[in-house]
Amino acid sequence: MNYLSVTQTAEKWDMTPRRVQVLCNEGRIAGAQRVGNVWTIPENAEKPADARKKVANKTKRVNSNVSIERVWAMPNKNTFDIKPIHDLITEELTEGLWIDPFANQNKLATITNDLSMEFDTDYHLDALDFMKIFDSNSVDGVLYDPPYSPRQVSECYNNVGYNVTWDTTKASFWGNHKHEISRIVKLGGKVITFGWNSGGIGYKYGFEIERILLVPHGGWHNDTICTVEVKTHEGEIPKLKRDMVDISQKTSNNQFIQEDQKLISALNSLPKDFWDFKDDDVREYTHGIHNYPAMMVYPISRNIIRLVKEVHPIETIFDPFTGSGTVLVEGVLSGTKNVYGNDINPLALYLSKVKTTRLDINLLQSETQNLYNRIEDVYNRFALQINSADEIIRCGYKLDLTARDGWGDNAPEYLLKYIQSNYIDIDVPNFKNIGYWFKPRVILLLSLIKKEINRIENKDIREFIFVAFSETIRFVSNRRNGEFKMFRMPPNKVEVFEPDVIKEFTTILNRNVEKMNSFDETCADIGANAAVSIFKNNATTLEDVPNDSVDLVITSPPYGDSRTTVAYGEYSRLSLQWLDLFELSERDIMSIDKTLMGGNKFRNGFEYTIPSNTLRASLERIKDVDLERAGDVYSFYLDLSKSIAAISKKSKSGGYQFWVVGNRTVKGELLLTDKIISEIAEQYGLKHIHTVDRNIINKVMPSLNSPTNESGVKSSTMSNEHIVILRKI
């Protein structure tokens, strides 16, 4: 039983507190109790008739024909599984739209909601916010099984990490729900209320009781009381209050619900292995012109765009962690009007720009052939000197080409001497440890190719060809194949490594020209003319991306900080050192990983501020093993949380977000990033709609990693991903 104070009752009954006090003293308020010097009045107590006035006309008695039943049953924490209660619901449910704001695991209503992410409901909102998304007079029935007492309210909120305040435990908690239920239920609609009293929604809010079921459970258990009410009138809530809600917004919310249901239905109808794309060519069009760590395979983006377009209009697509531009290319190919990308890695920005820029194929082929001719001419002039470089520097200069010292750290000095003494018209770059990563002959050939590419006047074509040059750098360097971090081949392999640099470059460039040709032809066929904007913002701020402008976000953020997961900066280092992009200094290039997510260090602990109980529990377990590693994890998720907040501001109301994420393991603790994102998102105006699981078949990732950072201890990397679907409320 819920009780009100004298003041609250006076406000409810529109009389003075003094008059309520008198009525209590006279014993005219049923159930009123004195606690010390204070009267408490049952919330459902009826206002006594004023004996000082004559009642001219007696109105019909409210709730005059109520059917009352009493059926014993064993208690059950899931109310709807108690047999007589389940039978009552089955009997009373009608056709039409029924909602359940506190659904728990129940699926009896048309649309379900529960604050806890533990349950598979349609929404995970506060019950009041959930009911506010429905239009006035649009719902046929409500199953209303709220917490029965202030203590239960506190437990409900605490269990999902929400703060409990006076507002969430006082009588207005239930009163606010009744206001919304009264607003959204149609005349003739039903509400079935469950609790420890039969107050239901009440006559004041337009409802009259038809049926009451008492379910005793024996011993000292409270009865569960089920009250079936029908809306017979509009109640006494001022119409002005009902109309305060923006009607256009309510209409939109109802549309969003229908779109969500249609999208979820389409996703659920797909085969179980649909998202694996095991047999797909994931390198078609310009997707295949350059490798990049942990690339999202393009069919994911293509099918997301297709499915969303069937339920929601799309004018603008955005990838805040664009990487090499997979989402951007698919945005262009989908015919979308505006395509936004963002990244902080200069190589990612470069690749994204090149992959989405259509080229005149005839001009590209002509420039490519001219380039090959010039490279051949220069090579033929200096072939003897170039091909003898390794042997002369090894024997004549007495240098070990596999050593870090000597050739490894002073290669530019020795090459300058060699070039001058042999009259070779080639300029070589000067960056740290170039000799450690490249042998003399390879440096000379790469320098030759670079010089001839720079002679191309058309900027777009020149940048396109430099992408092939960047890929060539990786294959002809002394780096180990299949590694994204900077690991070199063992000395014995470096000693005999003699790549055909020019052949490698021409093979890659020819392939890339074909892919650009197919991309351009497809764009022409569909009339694609997207405006592509690529930003270099920190994802936690996104200051250059317009607010409220994005219909669809598709992104795959890093799995963790670069130092311990995928090292995007290390992967990009040699390309950036050779390409001279964006006037980057050596220091800028070497510190890229520190600028990415999780770059800040918390070596001595941290104050937890991220709105995710799942993450909090995992961090507590990691801290018990390694405080510094817990700080690394916290740093990454802190940046991720800030990014979710920033990205939410860029999305339009009703816009969808698809987050493709993997759950990594740190110190033996599996970090549930999919669930963590869902929990964080709800704090920033985003609603979790659905999650799809997929097997990782062909994503470019290392096969092993070190989850404990202990030397020699390896573990298989994740074999599946999760597509977390959110929507801007």
Side-chain angles (χ1 to χ4, degrees), residues 244-260:
M244 285 176 65
V245 179
D246 184 348
I247 298 302
S248 64
Q249 182 62 45
K250 286 297 176 181
T251 302
S252 296
N253 284 335
N254 192 45
Q255 174 192 343
F256 295 163
I257 294 170
Q258 295 173 0
E259 290 178 356
D260 293 346

Side-chain angles (χ1 to χ4, degrees), residues 314-553:
I314 301 174
E315 288 192 350
T316 303
I317 293 174
F318 177 38
D319 184 353
F321 303 97
T322 196
S324 63
T326 300
V327 174
L328 277 58
V329 171
E330 285 304 310
V332 172
L333 290 170
S334 70
T336 303
K337 182 178 179 182
N338 300 300
V339 178
Y340 297 162
N342 178 78
D343 211 289
I344 204 167
N345 183 353
L347 182 62
L349 299 172
Y350 191 81
L351 296 177
S352 296
K353 189 264 184 186
V354 169
K355 286 185 177 184
T356 55
T357 301
R358 294 171 60 185
L359 299 177
D360 182 319
I361 298 302
N362 291 329
L363 182 58
L364 175 60
Q365 290 173 333
S366 174
E367 289 284 9
T368 299
Q369 188 57 54
N370 290 337
L371 173 65
Y372 291 162
N373 293 338
R374 292 197 304 273
I375 291 172
E376 184 179 8
D377 288 344
V378 177
Y379 174 74
N380 287 338
R381 292 205 324 261
F382 301 110
L384 179 61
Q385 299 96 314
I386 291 173
N387 292 328
S388 302
D390 288 4
E391 186 65 21
I392 292 174
I393 290 177
R394 181 188 300 111
C395 299
Y397 294 6
K398 300 188 183 305
L399 293 173
D400 181 358
L401 300 185
T402 70
R404 182 180 291 275
D405 298 329
W407 167 253
D409 58 2
N410 271 316
E413 176 185 336
Y414 294 115
L415 274 178
L416 179 61
K417 179 180 177 182
Y418 182 79
I419 287 171
Q420 291 174 343
S421 63
N422 286 275
Y423 305 101
I424 305 173
D425 186 18
I426 297 175
D427 298 323
V428 298
N430 183 355
F431 58 80
K432 184 178 179 181
N433 293 331
I434 184 174
Y436 184 73
W437 298 108
F438 300 92
K439 295 173 73 172
R441 174 179 160 278
V442 171
I443 295 175
L444 291 173
L445 287 169
L446 286 174
S447 300
L448 184 163
I449 294 170
K450 177 182 176 182
K451 181 177 181 179
E452 296 307 315
I453 296 174
N454 273 323
R455 293 176 59 187
I456 298 172
E457 294 183 1
N458 185 297
K459 182 174 181 291
D460 289 338
I461 291 179
R462 184 170 67 247
E463 290 180 344
F464 176 84
I465 293 176
F466 264 130
V467 167
F469 181 72
S470 171
E471 189 87 341
T472 303
I473 289 167
R474 292 181 54 251
F475 290 121
V476 302
S477 74
N478 298 333
R479 288 174 64 167
R480 291 198 318 230
N481 288 331
E483 296 282 356
F484 294 139
K485 294 188 177 183
M486 298 284 281
F487 295 120
R488 199 180 72 154
M489 300 176 190
N492 62 315
K493 288 191 175 182
V494 173
E495 183 70 36
V496 299
F497 184 52
E498 295 183 358
D500 188 334
V501 178
I502 294 177
K503 181 179 180 182
E504 196 77 54
F505 170 70
T506 55
T507 299
I508 294 171
L509 181 53
N510 288 339
R511 177 204 67 192
N512 289 1
V513 170
E514 291 179 6
K515 291 185 177 298
M516 174 54 72
N517 186 28
S518 62
F519 174 70
D520 181 68
E521 287 180 346
T522 302
C523 287
D525 289 344
I526 67 172
N529 191 27
V532 180
S533 302
I534 303 174
F535 307 99
K536 187 185 180 183
N537 291 169
N538 190 305
T540 64
T541 56
L542 298 174
E543 59 273 12
D544 294 329
V545 183
N547 288 340
D548 304 310
S549 65
V550 176
D551 300 294
L552 175 62
V553 172

Side-chain angles (χ1 to χ4, degrees), residues 84-148:
I85 294 177
H86 187 275
D87 291 345
L88 174 131
I89 295 172
T90 303
E91 294 168 9
E92 296 292 341
L93 277 175
T94 60
E95 296 291 332
L97 175 62
W98 279 72
I99 68 170
D100 188 345
F102 299 92
N104 196 279
Q105 65 185 28
N106 301 301
K107 300 286 189 181
L108 298 176
T110 316
I111 300 176
T112 57
N113 174 76
D114 199 281
L115 193 58
S116 174
M117 299 290 295
E118 174 186 353
F119 302 111
D120 181 23
T121 53
D122 298 315
Y123 292 85
H124 295 285
L125 301 173
D126 180 88
L128 188 62
D129 293 334
F130 169 68
M131 289 188 283
K132 284 181 178 179
I133 68 178
F134 295 93
D135 288 341
S136 298
N137 302 309
S138 65
V139 173
D140 295 282
V142 179
L143 297 177
Y144 184 57
D145 186 25
Y148 297 169

Side-chain angles (χ1 to χ4, degrees), residues 565-703:
T565 51
V566 178
Y568 295 95
E570 283 193 37
Y571 171 84
S572 308
R573 188 175 300 167
L574 293 179
S575 291
L576 293 175
Q577 288 170 324
W578 274 94
L579 291 178
D580 304 325
L581 297 180
F582 311 111
E583 299 182 352
L584 295 169
S585 68
E586 184 75 12
R587 182 176 180 181
D588 293 334
I589 294 171
M590 299 297 285
S591 62
I592 285 175
D593 282 322
K594 294 180 181 178
T595 68
L596 303 179
M597 293 181 65
N600 293 327
K601 298 301 176 188
F602 294 88
R603 300 187 185 280
N604 300 312
F606 48 87
E607 181 181 355
Y608 187 86
T609 60
I610 301 171
S612 168
N613 280 344
T614 300
L615 176 60
R616 182 195 294 270
S618 289
L619 284 174
E620 288 297 326
R621 289 188 282 270
I622 296 173
K623 279 169 62 178
D624 291 340
V625 179
D626 187 331
L627 179 61
E628 185 173 336
R629 287 293 288 120
D632 292 338
V633 174
Y634 177 74
S635 177
F636 169 76
Y637 283 104
L638 182 62
D639 283 345
L640 181 61
S641 180
K642 292 176 182 177
S643 298
I644 292 171
I647 295 164
S648 176
K649 292 178 182 178
K650 310 306 168 182
S651 290
K652 294 178 183 177
S653 177
Y656 282 107
Q657 297 185 6
F658 285 70
W659 292 70
V660 183
V661 300
N663 295 341
R664 63 187 291 231
T665 300
V666 175
K667 295 295 178 180
E669 175 70 17
L670 180 63
L671 296 166
L672 302 176
T673 302
D674 57 327
K675 188 174 181 181
I676 292 167
I677 285 178
S678 299
E679 293 174 353
I680 294 172
E682 294 200 357
Q683 304 302 308
Y684 298 114
L686 300 166
K687 178 183 64 175
H688 176 241
I689 301 298
H690 195 61
T691 296
V692 175
D693 299 325
R694 68 174 295 266
N695 296 314
I696 299 177
I697 303 296
N698 42 26
K699 192 163 187 174
V700 183
M701 291 178 61
S703 59

